[in-house]
Amino acid sequence: MTLKKVLLLCLLAFSFSFNLNAQVFDPVKWETKTEKISDTEYDLVSIATIDAGWHLYSQDVPEGGPIATGFTYKTNKGVELVGETLEEDGHVIDDPVFEMKIKFFENKAEFRQRIKILNKELSIVEGEVEFMVCDDEKCMPPNFIDLQFNLKDAKLVKEDSSSTTLNFGNTESKIFEPVKWDTSVEKISDLEYILVSKATIDEGWKLYSQKVPEGGPIPTGFEYATDNGVELIGSTIEEKGKEVMDKVFEMKIKFFKNTAEFRQKIKISDINISKTSSEVSFMACNDERCLAPTYFDLEFDLTKSVAVKKNVNNSDSEKEGESKGLWSIFFIAFLSGFVALLTPCVFPMIPMTVSFFIKQSQSKAKGIRNAIIYGLSIIVIYVLLGTIITAIFGADALNALATNVWFNLIFFLLLIVFAMSFLGAFEIVLPNSWANKADRQADRGGLVGIFFMALALAIVSFSCTGPIVGTILVEAASKGGVAPVIGMLGFSSAIALPFALFAAFPGWLNSLPKSGGWLNTVKVVLGFLELALAFKFLSQADLVLQLHFLEREVFIAIWIAVFGALTLYLFGKIQLPHDSPLNHISVGRLMFGLMTLTFTIYMIPGLWGAPLNLISAFPPPLDYSESPYGVGNAKGGSSASHSDLPEGAHLLAPHDILAFNDYDLGLAYAKKVGKPVMLDFTGWACVNCRKMEQNVWVEPTVLSKLKNDVVLISLYVDEQIDFPEGEAPDSKLRPGKKLRNKGQKWSEMQTIRYKTNTQPYYVLMDHNEVNLNEPVAYTPNYEEYNSWLKEGISNFSN
């Protein structure tokens, strides 16, 4: 629809509405004010008050849309404009009138124009605003309003107040601050306090948990000052939050919206200590972008604490979240216990043990009682194991172990050993002397004898149950706290339940399937599953170390091989050492084989870049791959190795663009070869950065310029590489603080120099670090991006 047609329809709609209602619409009221920055600089502020249901359009609207808001100022009386008229963020939605995405304002809008006066006697500046307003049904015709600004009534403000108090979408300052922090203190006793850090999160943004999956965003973290007589008690506790599939990172992540509260219990050594501090590091994202990791100082005034009861450091929501997590551990462990029942070490013991209790007891009631005690003894034994593990490592340390690189490698090796055992390479058994001693104690009879019978079962069946128990403890460790205890409670309950039930209803024993080769089949299937799960832990270690040893394609190929081999095994094409001869395939085995075959075929497109949503939590993310486009794609392929690359340079995959990650080395090379510099402010966790690289940079016209006409310097604002000892530079945004890592250095550089903190952000500059044109952010239209590149390169040549 052309602009003329739009305007005609708008005028007709307005005329029709006017004739029907016989009233004049005036939905926007304008007022002005003036702010004095210095003796020669002022901000002219135009404020639009918009009636409910109406919206005023931005200064920048798509072609074919409504009339944009525009300002003109009379500059022939000693007034010089500084920059453009700035506006607030507003809203960008699909406009029902124009059927396109347009930025507009509701209720109120503020516009600012910086001016410099050349005539100090000047008291009045005049301007004019042209604008158009619409509701969801009709539009007003373009309107013109005269504006008048009185410099004599100007209010003196600080230099950068306009850019810090408002979020302007097209201003010189595009720094987003979606998370605000407040602190409070709760007093438990004269020496014990709870430090409360509360985050207020802007609408549409989210703050991530302290625990996030590998390959996800930067987690929220707290570092408390402990060198002034303050001792931390336990870990920082957070609210329940939400755990959903994150659109940005394509994985399940726990995050917070609107508000989030974090609580840390401390103990002070001296009642005269009045203050303490902390630093919080965090990352905030919305559905389109993520900000660079941010560091913020928190101050806690103990003298202003509020007295509370002693055990209030866990909020109800946190307890509820922990409860749900523990229930999930219990349920998974309970199912694992039932699987363990179907192994050749445990299943044959059910009828034998139950029959023993019934025959050896004077009455059926006593037999049932003994079987129940036997089952309870099994539960006690395994719960004791979980308790011992928790006591040795500590409730909070378990989680730290589970997320540590080296313990992920240890877990990987453990699961490989478990898998080899299940597949029949060897058996994991406890010393025979343990079983013999337990048997001798069982002969004593009574409750003690029954307990040792249960202990003997646990020892003898360890070759089958040990790998399952070990896997449960590894998974439970990632939850921390008492999760290992709960895991063992669930597992042992499933093991113990059949003994009590079959003792109460011995007739059910006749319905049990007979032991046979199918038990070994269950054990082998578990071995394949353990083998597949093992590579998840190896992948996590590889992601943290950024070794690119186990990239996405390799991981998926391994899983295809594992589940493909499992399919062949179920169809009888592969036999392992302990298998019985297979004369025919049962219906159940055939159905399970078809399921694994389907799953194997489902994973194959993952080699070509398919997201594989069913298993998205297991393989590395899409961007952690040999090629973002998948194996065999013409656009894909990894970079070739070149021995003649300049110092600090590498070839950026998959495009083979010469790139630097160090600003000084890249700038020096650009001067040497006589090419302009393109700064690429990016991030490992920046999804839109990957979209630009995968969808825009691959276009031939763009790719040619990036490879031949500019020197690319990619600066990762979330790079976690620390500075060498004693070489960390001072922070310019946080006086008195040192920068933590190189990512923070690039983030500060972007914020200070370009007054923005979102990625991607692209800058073309000459060798004197002067911009060749206006920097751009996310530009998914490759033609626009190519025009921007062309303009900057042309300006450099001139």
Side-chain angles (χ1 to χ4, degrees):
M1 184 180 292
T2 65
L3 181 59
K4 289 183 178 179
K5 290 182 179 179
V6 170
L7 289 175
L8 180 60
L9 288 174
C10 292
L11 290 170
L12 288 174
F14 172 72
S15 177
F16 182 72
S17 176
F18 180 86
N19 290 331
L20 285 179
N21 299 293
Q23 68 181 66
V24 177
F25 291 100
D26 188 16
V28 181
K29 313 294 189 302
W30 290 90
E31 59 179 308
T32 63
K33 66 178 182 179
T34 312
E35 295 179 354
K36 184 176 181 178
I37 308 301
S38 67
D39 288 340
T40 58
E41 288 189 314
Y42 293 80
D43 274 351
L44 309 181
V45 184
S46 305
I47 304 169
T49 302
I50 309 160
D51 288 353
W54 291 83
H55 41 255
L56 173 71
Y57 291 101
S58 166
Q59 298 175 95
D60 183 19
V61 299
E63 190 169 341
I67 298 296
T69 300
F71 292 85
T72 56
Y73 302 91
K74 293 183 179 180
T75 58
N76 56 354
K77 292 185 178 180
V79 175
E80 178 184 323
L81 301 183
V82 180
E84 300 175 346
T85 302
L86 313 177
E87 64 183 33
E88 297 180 82
D89 279 347
H91 306 280
V92 178
I93 65 168
D94 285 317
D95 191 279
V97 176
F98 294 94
E99 298 179 350
M100 61 175 66
K101 283 193 174 182
I102 307 176
K103 177 182 173 182
F104 63 83
F105 307 97
E106 291 181 311
N107 302 322
K108 200 168 188 178
E110 188 171 301
F111 302 84
R112 291 173 172 266
Q113 174 64 56
R114 179 71 57 88
I115 65 167
K116 184 176 182 180
I117 60 170
L118 309 176
N119 179 6
K120 291 188 177 181
E121 301 299 323
L122 185 67
S123 61
I124 299 293
V125 175
E126 296 179 342
E128 182 183 68
V129 57
E130 176 188 12
F131 62 96
M132 182 176 189
V133 289
C134 298
D135 61 13
D136 291 340
E137 298 178 352
K138 56 185 172 293
C139 292
M140 300 286 291
N143 198 0
F144 299 85
I145 297 292
D146 291 327
L147 303 173
Q148 195 174 73
F149 304 90
N150 191 335
L151 303 184
K152 300 301 182 183
D153 294 336
K155 180 181 178 183
L156 182 64
V157 295
K158 293 181 180 180
E159 168 67 28
D160 289 321
S161 63
S162 64
S163 62
T164 57
T165 57
L166 292 170
N167 286 328
F168 287 97
N170 66 340
T171 72
E172 295 175 2
S173 176
K174 300 177 183 177
I175 300 173
F176 291 86
E177 295 182 16
V179 181
K180 312 295 188 301
W181 290 90
D182 294 302
T183 62
S184 60
V185 182
E186 297 176 356
K187 183 175 182 179
I188 299 174
S189 66
D190 287 341
L191 297 178
E192 289 184 324
Y193 295 84
I194 295 171
L195 309 181
V196 182
S197 305
K198 185 175 181 180
T200 303
I201 308 158
D202 287 353
E203 184 70 26
W205 291 82
K206 52 199 172 191
L207 174 71
Y208 291 99
S209 166
Q210 298 174 96
K211 301 174 185 177
V212 299
E214 300 293 347
I218 302 296
T220 299
F222 294 85
E223 284 196 9
Y224 297 89
T226 56
D227 56 353
N228 57 348
V230 175
E231 176 189 350
L232 303 182
I233 301 177
S235 58
T236 302
I237 295 169
E238 63 185 35
E239 294 184 60
K240 173 185 170 185
K242 297 180 180 179
E243 186 171 1
V244 298
M245 183 61 69
D246 190 277
K247 295 179 182 178
V248 175
F249 293 96
E250 297 179 348
M251 61 174 67
K252 280 193 173 181
I253 308 177
K254 178 182 175 184
F255 61 83
F256 308 97
K257 284 191 172 184
N258 302 322
T259 61
E261 192 169 278
F262 302 84
R263 305 165 72 84
Q264 174 64 56
K265 189 175 181 180
I266 65 167
K267 184 176 181 180
I268 59 175
S269 59
D270 185 349
I271 59 173
N272 293 319
I273 294 176
S274 61
K275 291 185 178 181
T276 187
S277 62
S278 170
E279 182 184 67
V280 58
S281 56
F282 62 96
M283 176 183 263
C285 297
N286 59 18
D287 289 341
E288 297 180 353
R289 63 168 71 91
C290 289
L291 303 185
T294 304
Y295 302 86
F296 192 80
D297 292 323
L298 303 174
E299 296 289 338
F300 302 92
D301 191 340
L302 305 186
T303 63
K304 297 181 180 179
S305 60
V306 178
V308 294
K309 294 181 180 179
K310 183 142 189 173
N311 292 315
V312 297
N313 57 319
N314 282 333
S315 65
D316 292 339
S317 58
E318 171 66 18
K319 290 179 179 177
E320 181 184 349
E322 289 181 354
S323 176
K324 287 186 177 180
L326 294 178
W327 272 112
S328 65
I329 285 289
F330 178 87
F331 182 70
I332 293 171
F334 191 78
L335 292 179
S336 301
F338 273 124
V339 173
L341 282 171
L342 302 178
T343 58
C345 310
V346 181
F347 187 80
M349 300 295 293
I350 298 174
M352 293 170 53
T353 306
V354 171
S355 297
F356 171 81
F357 282 124
I358 293 176
K359 291 177 181 178
Q360 296 297 318
S361 303
Q362 292 86 350
S363 64
K364 180 180 178 181
K366 190 172 182 181
I368 293 174
R369 188 201 67 177
N370 289 341
I372 292 174
I373 294 173
Y374 181 74
L376 291 175
S377 299
I378 293 173
I379 293 175
V380 169
I381 289 167
Y382 282 101
V383 169
L384 280 174
L385 174 63
T387 304
I388 291 169
I389 294 293
T390 304
I392 292 174
F393 292 103
D396 297 317
L398 279 169
N399 175 255
L401 295 181
T403 55
N404 180 274
V405 170
W406 301 112
F407 275 89
N408 269 294
L409 294 175
I410 292 173
F411 292 158
F412 163 72
L413 294 175
L414 277 176
L415 292 183
I416 290 292
V417 171
F418 293 160
M420 297 290 287
S421 173
F422 273 148
L423 292 174
F426 49 81
E427 285 193 353
I428 303 174
V429 294
L430 295 176
N432 288 331
S433 59
W434 292 16
N436 294 334
K437 289 179 181 179
D439 281 336
R440 287 195 295 270
Q441 292 296 327
D443 292 337
R444 295 169 56 182
L447 296 179
V448 174
I450 293 173
F451 176 82
F452 279 98
M453 282 183 66
L455 181 60
L457 171 69
I459 294 172
V460 171
S461 66
F462 187 78
S463 61
C464 291
T465 59
I468 300 175
V469 168
T471 305
I472 293 172
L473 288 174
V474 167
E475 286 296 317
S478 66
K479 301 292 183 182
V482 296
V485 178
I486 299 300
M488 290 299 93
L489 176 63
F491 177 82
S492 57
S493 297
I495 294 285
L497 187 60
F499 293 97
L501 289 177
F502 285 114
F505 306 99
W508 290 3
L509 290 172
N510 298 325
S511 63
L512 276 179
K514 294 182 179 180
S515 300
W518 66 272
L519 290 174
N520 189 67
T521 300
V522 172
K523 188 177 176 182
V524 170
V525 170
L526 288 175
F528 278 107
L529 296 178
E530 293 268 6
L531 187 60
L533 183 61
F535 286 94
K536 170 60 180 171
F537 292 96
L538 182 61
S539 172
Q540 289 184 184
D542 183 62
L543 275 168
V544 173
L545 296 174
Q546 289 287 303
L547 298 177
H548 289 265
F549 170 74
L550 192 61
E551 293 177 314
R552 184 178 177 87
E553 293 91 345
V554 179
F555 184 97
I556 293 173
I558 291 172
W559 269 40
I560 290 172
V562 170
F563 285 96
L566 174 57
T567 302
L568 293 175
Y569 173 80
L570 291 171
F571 286 156
K573 302 302 181 182
I574 296 176
Q575 282 202 326
L576 294 173
H578 300 296
D579 286 331
S580 303
L582 187 66
N583 298 321
H584 66 277
I585 299 175
S586 66
V587 174
R589 185 165 180 158
L590 175 64
M591 297 301 292
F592 192 60
L594 290 173
M595 288 174 58
T596 58
L597 176 60
T598 302
F599 181 63
T600 303
I601 295 173
Y602 166 79
M603 288 190 290
I604 292 175
L607 297 174
W608 282 266
L612 304 182
N613 292 330
L614 286 179
I615 59 169
S616 59
F618 290 93
L622 285 166
D623 59 291
Y624 193 79
S625 60
E626 292 182 4
S627 167
Y629 305 100
V631 177
N633 193 300
K635 295 180 182 179
S638 59
S639 298
S641 60
H642 292 255
S643 59
D644 57 347
L645 289 176
E647 181 187 0
H650 64 279
L651 292 178
L652 181 67
H655 316 298
D656 284 347
I657 302 171
L658 185 71
F660 292 82
N661 293 136
D662 184 276
Y663 180 83
D664 295 325
L665 291 176
L667 181 58
Y669 179 76
K671 292 178 180 179
K672 179 180 178 181
V673 297
K675 294 181 181 179
V677 170
M678 186 177 110
L679 295 183
D680 166 29
F681 288 98
T682 183
W684 297 113
C686 173
V687 175
N688 278 344
C689 301
R690 303 294 87 77
K691 289 180 180 178
M692 287 291 295
E693 293 161 11
Q694 296 170 19
N695 302 325
V696 177
W697 286 14
V698 296
E699 293 298 331
T701 53
V702 173
L703 186 57
S704 175
K705 291 179 176 63
L706 294 177
K707 296 181 73 169
N708 303 313
D709 300 332
V710 301
V711 173
L712 176 65
I713 304 178
S714 294
L715 304 177
Y716 289 82
V717 299
D718 54 0
E719 183 69 75
Q720 298 297 300
I721 298 176
D722 293 333
F723 293 103
E725 186 69 27
E727 295 183 19
D730 294 328
S731 171
K732 296 178 181 179
L733 294 177
R734 304 165 66 218
K737 296 282 186 178
K738 295 285 186 181
L739 296 180
R740 290 188 169 196
N741 48 54
K742 289 189 176 180
Q744 198 175 1
K745 175 182 178 180
W746 307 134
S747 177
E748 281 206 356
M749 175 183 175
Q750 182 188 7
T751 302
I752 294 170
R753 185 181 292 187
Y754 302 107
K755 303 224 170 14
T756 183
N757 61 344
T758 61
Q759 296 78 43
Y761 193 74
Y762 306 105
V763 180
L764 284 171
M765 68 180 196
D766 63 18
H767 300 155
N768 295 319
E769 303 175 80
V770 176
N771 291 357
L772 296 170
N773 56 358
E774 190 70 22
V776 297
Y778 179 57
T779 310
N781 186 312
Y782 82 90
E783 292 179 344
E784 291 182 17
Y785 193 76
N786 182 61
S787 297
W788 173 79
L789 281 171
K790 184 177 180 181
E791 178 192 24
I793 295 169
S794 174
N795 291 340
F796 177 80
S797 301
N798 296 333

